[in-house]
């Protein structure tokens, strides 16, 4: 028996025949999610439905939403550089991406039950920092085609690309995170060969000789390339 997650809500359980019919008539999309007893989490229809499901009746509830004190699992073997608990979210910063995971029922409701949002550094066009004071502060990540809101703190609570926090110490941590991510973005976008020193003629001749010794260049091709290189 399958549970289905789509459009921000969970439905089911449904038997195999019903799910097959929903897939066939387009009611269930490829990026919708399925869960059944024995699975450790939700799986996309497009990649998991081909597996043989259990047809034994089940009334077991789907996996619980991440609790406030339990972070969502990160990439296997990769530890985050920063981990910050917000008001209703958990922020994890890695070398090349940032993830935002809703905490508890309120966080999940605000963000639409979509689970962890992963944002690669290369897709971030801007980071907006609002200092926490009387009202909560936030880090908002702008991405091409994103739905980030600029309508104030209330709208920011529902923005999947925004992480909210509170308190003076949180301000300090948020600034460190903002600086780290901006440095990562600058490194990714920097010209790859700006600091490369030009190869000397001797280096190029050694490369040509190596190619000839490996049989990649014939004697004639080596002589022609050498003459062209020495000619400048």
């Amino acid at each position: 028996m399958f549970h289905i997650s789509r459009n921000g809500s969970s439905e089911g359980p449904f038997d195999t025949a019903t799910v097959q019919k929903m897939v066939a008539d387009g009611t269930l999309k490829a990026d919708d999610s399925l869960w059944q007893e024995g699975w450790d989490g939700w799986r996309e229809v497009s990649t998991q439905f081909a597996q043989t499901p259990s047809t034994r009746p089940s009334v077991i509830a789907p996996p619980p939403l991440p609790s406030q004190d339990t972070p969502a699992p990160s990439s296997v073997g990769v530890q985050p550089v920063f981990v910050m608990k917000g008001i209703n979210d958990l922020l994890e910063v890695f070398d090349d991406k940032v993830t935002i995971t809703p905490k508890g029922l309120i966080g999940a409701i605000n963000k639409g039950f979509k689970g962890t949002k992963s944002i690669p550094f290369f897709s971030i066009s801007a980071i907006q920092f609002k200092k926490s004071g009387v009202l909560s502060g936030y880090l908002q990540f702008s991405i091409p085609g994103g739905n980030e809101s600029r309508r104030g703190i209330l709208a920011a609570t529902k923005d999947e690309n925004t992480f909210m926090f509170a308190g003076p110490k949180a301000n300090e941590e948020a600034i460190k995170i903002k600086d780290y991510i901006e440095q990562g973005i600058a490194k990714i976008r920097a010209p790859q060969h700006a600091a490369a020193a030009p190869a000397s003629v001797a280096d190029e001749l050694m490369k040509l000789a190596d190619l000839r010794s490996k049989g990649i260049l014939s004697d004639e091709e080596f002589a022609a390339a050498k003459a062209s290189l020495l000619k400048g």
Side-chain angles (χ1 to χ4, degrees), residues 34-69:
L34 296 172
W35 178 86
Q36 69 169 346
E37 181 184 2
W39 289 3
D40 58 0
W42 294 97
R43 302 182 182 182
E44 287 191 356
V45 172
S46 61
T47 59
Q48 299 297 333
F49 189 66
Q51 294 183 353
T52 303
S54 171
T55 57
R56 180 166 56 88
S58 173
V59 293
I60 297 177
L65 295 167
S67 68
Q68 183 168 348
D69 298 319

Side-chain angles (χ1 to χ4, degrees), residues 74-96:
S74 305
S75 301
V76 176
V78 179
Q79 296 299 318
V81 180
F82 293 94
V83 177
M84 183 175 179
K85 292 184 178 181
I87 297 175
N88 291 311
D89 300 295
L90 179 76
L91 182 74
E92 292 182 282
V93 181
F94 298 85
D95 288 339
D96 58 352

Side-chain angles (χ1 to χ4, degrees), residues 197-207 229:
S200 66
V201 174
D203 290 336
E204 294 298 330
L205 286 173
M206 289 179 65
K207 292 178 182 178
L229 182 62

Side-chain angles (χ1 to χ4, degrees), residues 152-193:
I153 192 69
L154 293 179
T157 62
K158 299 183 181 297
D159 175 26
E160 62 181 4
N161 298 326
T162 298
F163 170 74
M164 301 186 65
F165 55 86
K169 292 184 178 180
N171 284 330
E172 297 176 7
E173 186 73 2
I175 291 174
K176 291 180 182 178
I177 289 174
K178 178 177 180 292
D179 291 343
Y180 179 83
I181 296 174
E182 288 179 338
Q183 290 172 9
I185 294 172
K187 183 177 180 180
I188 290 173
R189 296 176 181 172
Q192 297 297 310
H193 305 291

Side-chain angles (χ1 to χ4, degrees), residues 81-124:
V81 180
F82 293 94
V83 177
M84 183 175 179
K85 292 184 178 181
I87 297 175
N88 291 311
D89 300 295
L90 179 76
L91 182 74
E92 292 182 282
V93 181
F94 298 85
D95 288 339
D96 58 352
K97 68 179 179 181
V98 57
T99 64
I100 303 174
T101 304
K103 297 192 303 178
L105 182 60
I106 294 177
I109 291 174
N110 284 340
K111 298 299 174 67
F113 294 92
K114 295 182 178 179
T116 299
K117 176 66 179 289
S118 181
I119 310 174
F121 284 178
F122 66 78
S123 69
I124 299 174

